[in-house]
Amino acid sequence: MDLFLKVQEFLEKGYKSKAMNELASFLANNLNARKVLIFLYEPMRELFRLVGASSDEYENHIGKHKIPLQKIESSEGEIELKDLGFDSEEKGKILPLKFGEENLGFILAVDPHIQNSTDVLEKVGGALRFLAKYRYLEESVHKYQLMSRFTTLFEHTRDLGELYTRVLEVAVDVLEAESAMIWEREGEEYVLRSYKNLEEDIILRRKVEADHTFFSKFKEGTVLILNPDISLGLNDLIDLKLKSILVSSYRANDEIKGLFVVINKKERKGYRPFKKFDDFDVSLLAEITRRFSLALSRLEYYERLKEEVEKLEELRKRHEKLIEVQRDQLMKMETVYNVSQAMRSSYSLTNVYKILLLGLIANRGFNFDRALLLLRDTKRQVLIGKLWVGPQDEKEAESFMEKMRQRSLKYGDIVQYFREEAMTFDASSGLTPKIEGKIFHYKGHPILERAVLRKRIVYVNSRIIESFGENLRDILDILETDEFIVMPLVGRWDTLGVVIMDNRFTKRSISDSDLEILKLLSESAGLAIENIMNYEELREKTISLERQKDLIDYLRRFSESILQNLDAVVIVLDGGGKILEWNKKAELVFGYPRERMIGSRLENLGAEFENILAVALKVFETKETISMANYMFTMEREEKYFDIRFSPLWNPSGTHIDGVIITFEDVTDRYKMEQERKRQEKLSALGEMAARVAHEIRNPISVIGGFIKRMKKHIDEPETLTRYVEIVLNELERLERIVSEILEFSREAKKLEYTEFNINDLVREVYTLFEDPISKKNIKFQFDTGRENITVFADRIRIKQVLINLIQNAIDATPKNGNIRIKTEDMFERVRVSVWNSGSSIPKHIQDKIFQPFFTTKIQGTGLGLSICKKIVEDEHNGSIWVESDEEGTSFIFEIPKKGV
Amino acid sequence: MGKRILIVEDEPNMRLLIREELEEEGYDVEEASNGEEALEKFKEAEYDLVTIDIEMPGMNGLELAGRIREMKKDAKIILLTAYSHYKGDLSSWAADAYIIKSMDFQELKDTVNKLLSK
């Protein structure tokens, strides 16, 4: 018999195999004994267990019969079977099974006849010991192999949920456990996060308070509990018979996150003296949770990082979008101006129409796909198709747009491009034939009526089309698109027609800001068309007159007609201020009839005209043309702006002046557009400001902080402290100045408070503020007054601010022993103040930038001083400010109207 | 005799502050209020280290650092600035260290000490 094979069979198959019985029979034979029983020692429990017998009568005891260790130690050699718990009167001899000093069990031999059995017993012991050890090692290797699955798992799992599921799978495999679960701490509770091999109906709770018995027992580390009882509290959570459990804490990012609970060792094949988790399992689980914790930390960190990156990306996109929108708006605003400009510079009505439509579809214009012009016939109350530009269909779209783009690139001046493109562009073919002469009734039409009669820009989309349905059929059949804009062309009195734009091919969406900007175009284009219509009407008249060949009459009427039909107000005054001429436009604009005005006096019309008269009288003195820009009239509570020109009217021989011709050009649109542009510029300047402010205030703050730290160090030295306090105060003042300049620049224009005051008094008052620094630098200060009393009507505080800034700059720029000279001059309707200093000259390229916000050459200061001056003088007081510089020195000069705006 | 440091900084109070902080560390400190003055001083005397403010009127700190490097290849240079966004370009400059101005001058002192291996 091969002892080894028998022992191996037993270890692998357990009690089921009869290998141990066969071994017992073999030994009985060998020892010549009546019976042999084999007991093996279980060190964990300190007992011996019956594993095999040579006789069938013990069949029911095998694997079950146990004998405590003390029993065998105390009885040497012979022992009664009764004493070992068997129902027998026999005696047996105990033959220990050993390997070296290690106790492996014993053999109980009844009536042995061979005394010297050492040899065979050593063989059995050796086989048991060697094979058990071999098996243990083999299993350990297998477990370590399973553990290596972790490494792969942790390296490749990017998903948190998957990590939990997989770690449980591996743990159950490696530890040969029945089941496992993970409880995670969430606030004041523990939550069953994940589990493996647990039936739904045995899970009693999935959430418990953190101070629950079970969780309050475990803080940190890995423990093995061999005989869990009710006091453990685990049976509150799962309804399962517990034999042995392993509990281990795990962490994420340095915090204990929860508990890993592994339940019951699985039933395994073969002979197992110990059926629960052991110390080796404890160290395995400790290793599993350690790696799990690492993976969790890494994943959580990774998740957070991903979130941060996404957030940043989102922010960046939003920011870029904003800038894009703003840039687009500014560009379109400029387009309004360019298109209007081009329209005004043409004298052919057809060309003006073409310029308008091209402006709407050009990529350097509004970039719509198509634009359709319908002109209004007031008598018949219809709109008539006139021109339609754009690609005819999808196929043509790309090449059409590309061709337009190529042509526009040849021009630097966009106005020039619109004009020349209009002349060469053939608008009679293509889309135009589809609509030419086609009639649309606007009365009662849901969209056209709103555009024509209420002068509104109408944006139409699929929702609006749905609600109006069939009533829109006439337009929809032609346009074949469900998103478009109808823009009225608004003239001085009435709507002249409408333009319909769409993006049928490119499907670009139309924004609210587009509509806002189109409002501007709607009016300025209408006015431009009306101007040309007047002009054409005039030309037609001229032609019929020419036919009469009544040249003198024609000329007289022609000039009269020009005068009367001119788009500008024309007023002629004689030397005494009496009105000689008052044209039709003047009637319209000021609302006084010609018959009543001729022969009457201008100043009777109110304060605004008093100024006009004063300037006109000045022309008799200077004999030169005088211009005034953006002069404001308030008419019916609406502000209108005019460019006014005063020209001398010479007598026929050119020897003296008979009168003054005053022309008023309505520039309200232009003026408003300029204001809007200024506002936009300021907005972008404000954006830049945030960054600059951060930098400007950082330096003083560093200095203040640094010295305050030093103060702490030198608290016992009064002299040093005083010096430091001086410096800190100094820097605080500087901080305050920076902050107040920024506030000053960024504040919205507030209502100005106009008072009457003498500008010379104000200059003297400001001078006293600077007496100290001026004398410190030994600067020679000179003040020349034009007239002693120059009264101006302006916001005194704001003008004082201008003087302070200019004089401060002059002092900064003047070297020691230098000169500063201030001069005031009465310029009739304006007052001029110049502040000159003998500092070095300012190069031309810097002069151009000097009034821009944040431009500075100085060491200190925000670079806002001069831009604040410009704002006060030009924006608030309708004046002007500029710089003149040569080798001698530099002057900053400003002029404001004496009588306010 | 202590090691010699030249401070180039246009704002007097900031200059004074850096001077006092470095003198306390036991260095001999000289000052220049702009790039031109700094170059003059650098020609006349030997310095173990130069701290330069980047934002100065006239010749700026970066240009000055380059000029000093031309004159003396192994000059130790520290650049100071109130802007924090320069940091990325540091490698392209001729400086040994780059420090953002703050209330805490410890970083400056540490860097100086390290560069002069005190």
Side-chain angles (χ1 to χ4, degrees):
Chain A
M1 161 168 287
D2 189 330
L3 286 173
F4 259 70
L5 280 180
K6 283 297 154 196
V7 171
Q8 194 177 11
E9 194 186 334
F10 167 68
L11 288 178
E12 275 174 8
K13 295 191 177 152
Y15 303 122
K16 279 202 306 278
S17 81
K18 302 285 180 220
M20 275 296 157
N21 291 348
E22 285 167 31
L23 184 65
S25 300
F26 169 77
L27 288 174
N29 229 342
N30 209 297
L31 299 170
N32 201 6
R34 204 147 48 84
K35 286 178 191 170
V36 163
L37 300 177
I38 304 174
F39 290 86
L40 289 182
Y41 182 58
E42 294 180 4
M44 295 294 287
R45 298 185 180 162
E46 301 191 325
L47 55 78
F48 297 93
R49 193 186 293 270
L50 177 64
V51 298
S54 61
S55 156
D56 288 349
E57 58 193 295
Y58 297 99
E59 196 51 41
N60 290 332
H61 290 93
I62 285 175
K64 289 171 193 143
H65 197 92
K66 292 169 273 186
I67 299 164
L69 176 67
Q70 314 89 285
K71 203 120 201 180
I72 301 305
E73 275 176 338
S74 57
S75 48
E76 273 293 308
E78 291 271 309
I79 192 164
E80 301 258 354
L81 262 65
K82 226 178 353 199
D83 287 349
L84 295 179
F86 293 107
D87 184 18
S88 167
E89 294 301 318
E90 290 161 310
K91 275 186 186 173
K93 192 174 181 194
I94 289 174
L95 306 168
L97 282 170
K98 283 188 175 225
F99 183 80
E101 286 306 303
E102 197 180 333
N103 188 3
L104 300 173
F106 65 88
I107 285 168
L108 185 69
V110 180
D111 293 344
H113 292 97
I114 290 173
Q115 293 308 308
N116 189 358
S117 53
T118 330
D119 191 38
V120 69
L121 287 180
E122 258 176 23
K123 268 191 195 157
V124 173
L128 270 170
R129 171 75 181 111
F130 174 73
L131 286 171
K133 189 82 188 168
Y134 174 75
R135 218 164 140 236
Y136 179 73
L137 285 174
E138 205 178 38
E139 279 177 7
S140 300
V141 168
H142 179 62
K143 282 179 184 171
Y144 276 118
Q145 271 168 352
L146 284 176
M147 282 292 280
S148 74
R149 271 165 57 190
F150 268 120
T151 319
T152 342
L153 173 61
F154 294 148
E155 268 173 17
H156 293 100
T157 310
R158 281 268 184 275
D159 180 74
L160 228 95
E162 195 193 338
L163 181 70
Y164 279 93
T165 319
R166 301 285 305 280
V167 76
L168 282 171
E169 274 171 21
V170 176
V172 163
D173 278 3
V174 171
L175 298 168
E176 295 170 294
E178 281 181 0
S179 50
M181 54 189 184
I182 295 174
W183 287 79
E184 199 155 277
R185 177 100 186 218
E186 276 181 14
E188 293 309 306
E189 289 181 320
Y190 270 94
V191 177
L192 179 60
R193 176 69 207 257
S194 193
Y195 53 90
K196 172 85 184 161
N197 298 349
L198 287 176
E199 298 293 336
E200 292 293 321
D201 55 347
I202 67 152
I203 299 172
L204 303 176
R205 306 187 62 178
R206 286 166 189 269
K207 219 180 231 184
V208 289
E209 300 72 45
D211 57 4
H212 179 269
T213 331
F214 179 72
F215 293 100
S216 54
K217 280 196 169 71
F218 300 100
K219 292 295 166 226
E220 202 179 348
T222 310
V223 273
L224 165 64
I225 298 155
L226 278 179
N227 294 303
D229 58 20
I230 210 87
S231 70
L232 187 67
L234 193 55
N235 282 108
D236 293 356
L237 311 177
I238 47 168
D239 180 16
L240 199 66
K241 187 170 163 29
L242 303 171
K243 293 169 203 154
S244 67
I245 63 163
L246 287 163
V247 182
S248 181
S249 62
Y250 66 92
R251 301 168 155 264
N253 294 317
D254 277 346
E255 263 175 42
I256 294 189
K257 269 208 95 166
L259 292 181
F260 211 106
V261 185
V262 184
I263 305 157
N264 293 351
K265 196 89 175 174
K266 250 187 223 156
E267 252 338 303
R268 288 165 298 168
K269 278 198 307 182
Y271 166 71
R272 301 281 167 180
F274 192 61
K275 293 182 178 165
K276 302 186 174 177
F277 295 117
D278 56 20
D279 287 344
F280 185 60
D281 294 327
V282 173
S283 69
L284 280 177
L285 181 61
E287 180 64 14
I288 289 170
T289 47
R290 191 182 68 80
R291 294 202 197 179
F292 177 53
S293 300
L294 279 174
L296 262 187
S297 303
R298 189 180 58 87
L299 258 187
E300 280 195 1
Y301 181 69
Y302 174 77
E303 287 292 322
R304 240 181 293 157
L305 196 73
K306 213 165 66 182
E307 259 171 48
E308 282 306 308
V309 168
E310 272 165 17
K311 253 189 260 165
L312 276 175
E313 182 61 16
E314 187 58 32
L315 256 165
R316 187 184 65 77
K317 276 192 200 139
R318 226 182 300 158
H319 189 70
E320 273 176 6
K321 186 114 189 260
L322 258 170
I323 292 177
E324 196 53 47
V325 167
Q326 216 167 45
R327 191 184 299 144
D328 186 58
Q329 231 174 315
L330 268 176
M331 225 187 64
K332 285 189 173 148
M333 203 97 93
E334 202 178 320
T335 309
V336 172
Y337 178 75
N338 288 335
V339 172
S340 313
Q341 194 75 349
M343 286 172 78
R344 276 170 211 274
S345 66
S346 176
Y347 291 100
S348 143
L349 204 49
T350 318
N351 275 350
V352 168
Y353 294 150
K354 282 202 269 182
I355 289 170
L356 173 61
L357 298 187
L358 285 169
L360 286 166
I361 65 164
N363 67 305
R364 290 176 71 182
F366 284 90
N367 215 1
F368 285 105
D369 287 3
R370 302 184 299 177
L372 162 61
L373 172 69
L374 309 172
L375 290 177
R376 182 185 184 188
D377 183 330
T378 321
K379 281 199 203 102
R380 292 163 65 196
Q381 299 198 331
V382 293
L383 291 166
I384 302 169
K386 178 73 183 170
L387 286 173
W388 198 6
V389 300
Q392 293 194 62
D393 50 40
E394 202 93 30
K395 265 190 292 174
E396 200 198 24
E398 205 171 308
S399 67
F400 183 94
M401 290 169 195
E402 181 56 24
K403 264 186 222 151
M404 280 215 38
R405 202 178 69 81
Q406 292 293 347
R407 278 199 301 273
S408 81
L409 283 179
K410 291 187 200 141
Y411 292 87
D413 179 3
I414 187 81
V415 175
Q416 182 81 3
Y417 160 68
F418 286 141
R419 277 165 51 186
E420 294 191 13
E421 181 75 8
M423 275 183 237
T424 52
F425 189 83
D426 176 18
S428 60
S429 60
L431 287 170
T432 301
K434 290 190 189 171
I435 52 94
E436 204 167 14
K438 224 172 167 42
I439 286 173
F440 301 87
H441 292 273
Y442 58 79
K443 263 286 188 186
H445 190 286
I447 286 164
L448 295 180
E449 181 173 271
R450 192 171 157 78
V452 174
L453 298 182
R454 306 191 53 194
K455 304 178 184 174
R456 296 286 165 82
I457 292 181
V458 189
Y459 167 68
V460 182
N461 58 19
S462 50
R463 217 158 23 100
I464 296 174
I465 290 173
E466 241 169 67
S467 62
F468 287 120
E470 278 309 300
N471 294 335
L472 295 178
R473 210 18 71 209
D474 51 348
I475 310 185
L476 293 178
D477 281 348
I478 285 176
L479 294 177
E480 297 175 305
T481 176
D482 59 2
E483 191 183 18
F484 56 90
I485 300 175
V486 182
M487 174 181 85
L489 296 169
V490 182
R492 218 153 311 238
W493 306 110
D494 221 336
T495 307
L496 308 170
V498 301
V499 182
I500 302 177
M501 292 83 72
D502 64 62
N503 285 330
R504 184 182 166 198
F505 305 113
T506 55
K507 309 271 184 256
R508 267 193 295 266
S509 62
I510 293 162
S511 72
D512 287 350
S513 72
D514 285 348
L515 296 180
E516 280 305 307
I517 290 161
L518 284 174
K519 254 186 222 165
L520 294 176
L521 184 69
S522 160
E523 277 181 31
S524 84
L527 290 175
I529 291 171
E530 205 168 51
N531 277 349
I532 309 298
M533 281 176 162
N534 286 346
Y535 176 81
E536 290 217 331
E537 202 180 308
L538 182 65
R539 211 177 50 169
E540 275 164 25
K541 272 186 201 155
T542 311
I543 292 165
S544 73
L545 281 170
E546 221 168 355
R547 286 203 194 105
Q548 292 173 11
K549 303 231 180 297
D550 188 350
L551 208 52
I552 297 166
D553 187 36
Y554 154 69
L555 278 175
R556 191 186 61 75
R557 286 178 64 181
F558 182 63
S559 58
E560 178 66 20
S561 184
I562 285 181
L563 191 60
Q564 297 309 330
N565 287 296
L566 217 53
D567 192 33
V569 170
V570 179
I571 300 169
V572 183
L573 297 182
D574 70 7
K578 223 164 61 195
I579 296 171
L580 297 177
E581 179 54 70
W582 183 270
N583 77 344
K584 220 179 232 167
K585 184 75 188 180
E587 288 185 343
L588 289 178
V589 171
F590 298 118
Y592 303 109
R594 183 163 189 263
E595 307 85 72
R596 217 174 75 199
M597 293 317 293
I598 288 181
S600 73
R601 301 188 63 83
L602 201 58
E603 67 264 44
N604 299 339
L605 298 180
E608 282 153 341
F609 284 97
E610 260 177 54
N611 281 333
I612 301 288
L613 176 63
V615 180
L617 294 179
K618 184 93 177 169
V619 174
F620 284 100
E621 282 171 44
T622 61
K623 298 182 168 48
E624 271 170 5
T625 300
I626 297 177
S627 301
M628 291 186 347
N630 299 335
Y631 191 88
M632 190 186 80
F633 274 94
T634 310
M635 275 175 277
E636 294 163 350
R637 273 189 243 127
E638 194 190 357
E639 291 180 349
K640 287 263 181 197
Y641 294 85
F642 294 95
D643 281 355
I644 308 179
R645 232 175 115 86
F646 301 84
S647 324
L649 175 64
W650 295 95
N651 68 346
S653 49
T655 50
H656 65 274
I657 297 173
D658 279 347
V660 181
I661 306 166
I662 313 172
T663 54
F664 292 69
E665 197 185 342
D666 185 346
V667 292
T668 310
D669 292 343
R670 188 189 74 194
Y671 181 79
K672 285 191 176 153
M673 222 145 66
E674 271 168 13
Q675 294 305 311
E676 178 59 23
R677 196 178 310 180
K678 275 181 192 161
R679 202 178 63 83
Q680 293 287 348
E681 271 168 15
K682 206 177 92 180
L683 276 181
S684 61
L686 280 175
E688 188 187 347
M689 186 157 74
R692 294 287 305 230
V693 169
H695 172 239
E696 281 304 329
I697 62 182
R698 193 162 195 161
N699 246 327
I701 283 176
S702 300
V703 173
I704 291 168
F707 275 107
I708 287 176
K709 274 197 172 175
R710 294 194 61 74
M711 279 180 178
K712 269 198 211 154
K713 235 191 254 178
H714 297 271
I715 200 82
D716 300 328
E717 303 159 36
E719 270 173 42
T720 316
L721 280 187
T722 316
R723 195 158 60 85
Y724 287 171
V725 167
E726 201 63 42
I727 293 168
V728 168
L729 286 177
N730 195 323
E731 292 292 325
L732 279 175
E733 254 173 48
R734 185 171 144 206
L735 253 185
E736 197 176 299
R737 200 164 61 236
I738 291 167
V739 170
S740 68
E741 273 189 28
I742 287 159
L743 285 178
E744 175 64 29
F745 179 74
S746 57
R747 74 170 192 174
E748 277 302 315
K750 67 162 192 186
K751 190 109 184 79
L752 297 176
E753 284 175 22
Y754 277 78
T755 50
E756 251 185 15
F757 60 92
N758 181 357
I759 188 86
N760 292 329
D761 289 345
L762 185 62
V763 172
R764 288 190 196 99
E765 183 184 321
V766 175
Y767 168 71
T768 58
L769 298 177
F770 290 104
E771 268 175 332
D772 246 26
I774 285 175
S775 68
K776 246 186 219 163
K777 277 181 115 174
N778 197 25
I779 291 170
K780 204 176 136 221
F781 184 83
Q782 194 184 332
F783 179 31
D784 302 331
T785 54
R787 279 212 324 247
E788 181 36 48
N789 197 347
I790 306 176
T791 310
V792 292
F793 185 59
D795 187 321
R796 193 170 193 277
I797 295 170
R798 307 290 285 154
I799 298 300
K800 184 175 172 183
Q801 180 70 50
V802 174
L803 283 167
I804 289 174
N805 286 0
L806 292 183
I807 295 174
Q808 175 70 57
N809 279 357
I811 293 170
D812 290 345
T814 310
K816 276 195 175 156
N817 308 319
N819 289 298
I820 291 179
R821 194 160 62 228
I822 299 184
K823 204 162 99 183
T824 54
E825 284 171 89
D826 191 346
M827 310 281 288
F828 194 63
E829 86 269 26
R830 301 183 137 213
V831 61
R832 172 184 287 189
V833 181
S834 55
V835 180
W836 177 87
N837 72 74
S838 63
S840 53
S841 74
I842 302 175
K844 189 81 189 83
H845 68 276
I846 290 180
Q847 285 184 28
D848 294 341
K849 285 190 278 192
I850 210 158
F851 290 104
Q852 286 173 12
F854 302 114
F855 181 83
T856 182
T857 57
K858 286 200 280 181
I859 295 164
Q860 298 194 351
T862 52
L864 287 173
L866 282 174
S867 62
I868 290 170
C869 290
K870 188 179 170 75
K871 182 176 145 187
I872 295 173
V873 172
E874 298 192 348
D875 297 356
E876 295 177 1
H877 286 84
N878 200 21
S880 50
I881 184 165
W882 68 95
V883 58
E884 287 172 7
S885 186
D886 55 31
E887 318 74 76
E888 307 272 310
T890 301
S891 289
F892 281 88
I893 304 162
F894 71 89
E895 281 183 11
I896 52 167
K898 267 163 65 184
K899 299 214 167 151
V901 183
Chain B
M1 194 174 118
K3 300 221 168 150
R4 287 165 61 86
I5 295 178
L6 179 63
I7 301 172
V8 192
E9 163 68 58
D10 55 57
E11 293 188 32
N13 287 337
M14 180 60 86
R15 202 160 63 223
L16 181 66
L17 184 57
I18 299 174
R19 177 189 196 114
E20 298 209 7
E21 291 284 340
L22 291 180
E23 277 180 342
E24 252 175 26
E25 296 287 300
Y27 295 109
D28 281 348
V29 180
E30 292 266 341
E31 302 177 357
S33 61
N34 57 51
E36 288 77 9
E37 195 185 328
L39 283 179
E40 281 307 311
K41 291 216 161 166
F42 201 80
K43 270 178 212 156
E44 283 165 23
E46 280 280 323
Y47 291 96
D48 298 293
L49 186 143
V50 192
T51 76
I52 302 173
D53 181 23
I54 293 183
E55 300 90 21
M56 290 190 294
M59 183 192 303
N60 74 24
L62 301 185
E63 192 186 339
L64 176 64
R67 298 272 285 271
I68 287 180
R69 229 339 94 77
E70 268 173 34
M71 286 164 62
K72 192 180 171 205
K73 261 192 106 168
D74 58 346
K76 296 232 186 317
I77 298 173
I78 297 179
L79 285 171
L80 289 166
T81 178
Y83 275 118
S84 48
H85 62 249
Y86 278 137
K87 200 141 195 165
D89 309 334
L90 174 64
S91 57
S92 62
W93 295 347
D96 295 289
Y98 169 94
I99 292 171
I100 297 168
K101 283 184 198 166
S102 73
M103 294 194 267
D104 191 355
F105 283 79
Q106 200 53 48
E107 189 188 355
L108 175 64
K109 286 190 277 187
D110 289 349
T111 311
V112 169
N113 290 341
K114 208 178 95 203
L115 284 174
L116 298 179
S117 44
K118 182 180 155 181

